Amino acid sequence: DVKVTQSSRYLVKRTGEKVFLECVQDMDHENMFWYRQDPGLGLRLIYFSYDVKMKEKGDIPEGYSVSREKKERFSLILESASTNQTSMYLCASSPTGPGDIQYFGAGTRLSVL
Amino acid sequence: GQNIDQPTEMTATEGAIVQINCTYQTSGFNGLFWYQQHAGEAPTFLSYNVLDGLEEKGRFSSFLSRSKGYSYLLLKELQMKDSASYLCAVRDGNYQLIWGAGTKLIIKP
């Protein structure tokens, strides 16, 4: 069974804090993605990575950065959390490109107070 | 711009049939996906259409009309466990996924 694991299901942080969201996949997939999911909106791509140390901006990269030091791990970093970053964050992986079947983690619900 | 429309919420009865529609306007088209997402869980892949017509997979079927920019997901013999959100996603001309906001399906006994 394929597995994408996000380290936290719920996080509460304060404005201005640096926040790390971690994601690990055990499928040896080349591609990994970070999305945010907000009510009434489709999934929005923040960043994706197609290889170790490689990254591409998605549709809404402002205020975020990412790190991929190992193939199985993709981290999303909020350098200085703001209240408008309160959201559900979903990590996904895919054996091919961003336009193919993706395997998702269960999500991290982040609240920034 | 690119746009995908789905109804926000639908209600159906256990044992019945429900059709969830998805219309899209995108820059190019290279396939359409349906995902299921139970509350608090990961979205999981259900179906993929790239050619016109109906793809059947057990109780679930997905239909595509490229000329109309339209797809639907058909769920038969509804079960309570089918209560979930159903996400439509289109692979555009640049092979990027554009996601709809999802349809929350509520099944009543």
Side-chain angles (χ1 to χ4, degrees):
Chain A
D1 241 7
V2 298
K3 195 144 185 164
V4 178
T5 303
Q6 294 184 230
S7 55
S8 305
R9 292 301 302 271
Y10 301 94
L11 274 179
V12 180
K13 298 292 181 180
R14 298 225 173 260
T15 303
E17 278 193 76
K18 190 168 185 175
V19 181
F20 293 85
L21 303 184
E22 308 285 346
C23 175
V24 176
Q25 51 100 356
D26 66 357
M27 297 164 283
D28 202 35
H29 285 169
E30 302 291 334
N31 299 271
M32 297 187 73
F33 311 87
W34 276 106
Y35 292 92
R36 62 179 282 175
Q37 185 175 35
D38 298 292
L41 298 177
L43 296 182
R44 292 183 290 167
L45 183 64
I46 304 170
Y47 268 98
F48 72 94
S49 168
Y50 51 91
D51 201 353
V52 174
K53 297 191 186 296
M54 306 304 288
K55 61 186 179 184
E56 289 280 346
K57 292 181 180 179
D59 301 317
I60 52 164
E62 296 78 19
Y64 304 94
S65 62
V66 290
S67 172
R68 190 152 179 218
E69 297 296 319
K70 293 184 178 181
K71 191 176 186 179
E72 67 271 17
R73 186 179 297 271
F74 192 34
S75 303
L76 180 69
I77 304 155
L78 287 66
E79 295 290 340
S80 177
S82 63
T83 55
N84 63 12
Q85 292 178 310
T86 292
S87 187
M88 170 68 84
Y89 290 88
L90 290 171
C91 174
S93 72
S94 169
T96 54
D100 221 323
I101 296 171
Q102 296 184 15
Y103 300 87
F104 285 86
T108 297
R109 185 167 293 283
L110 173 66
S111 296
V112 183
L113 307 179
Chain B
Q2 311 209 83
N3 193 52
I4 297 183
D5 286 315
Q6 306 179 234
T8 302
E9 187 174 296
M10 299 181 70
T11 302
T13 304
E14 191 177 14
I17 299 173
V18 71
Q19 177 175 310
I20 302 174
N21 296 326
C22 171
T23 58
Y24 61 89
Q25 300 94 37
T26 56
S27 302
F29 177 84
N30 285 294
L32 185 144
F33 298 83
W34 285 96
Y35 283 76
Q36 180 190 57
Q37 185 179 21
H38 286 102
E41 296 184 14
T44 55
F45 169 75
L46 279 179
S47 68
Y48 171 69
N49 295 70
V50 66
L51 299 176
D52 291 349
L54 189 68
E55 293 278 345
E56 297 189 75
K57 199 184 285 188
R59 294 189 298 114
F60 292 14
S61 303
S62 56
F63 172 84
L64 175 67
S65 169
R66 288 172 297 171
S67 62
K68 295 182 179 178
Y70 168 69
S71 173
Y72 66 73
L73 183 67
L74 191 72
L75 291 72
K76 302 176 186 176
E77 301 168 15
L78 285 169
Q79 301 175 10
M80 298 303 293
K81 67 179 182 179
D82 297 329
S83 292
S85 289
Y86 292 86
L87 313 180
C88 173
V90 171
R91 182 162 60 193
D92 70 7
N94 293 318
Y95 282 80
Q96 305 298 312
L97 282 184
I98 312 299
W99 294 84
T103 299
K104 183 178 181 179
L105 177 63
I106 299 167
I107 309 296
K108 295 187 174 179

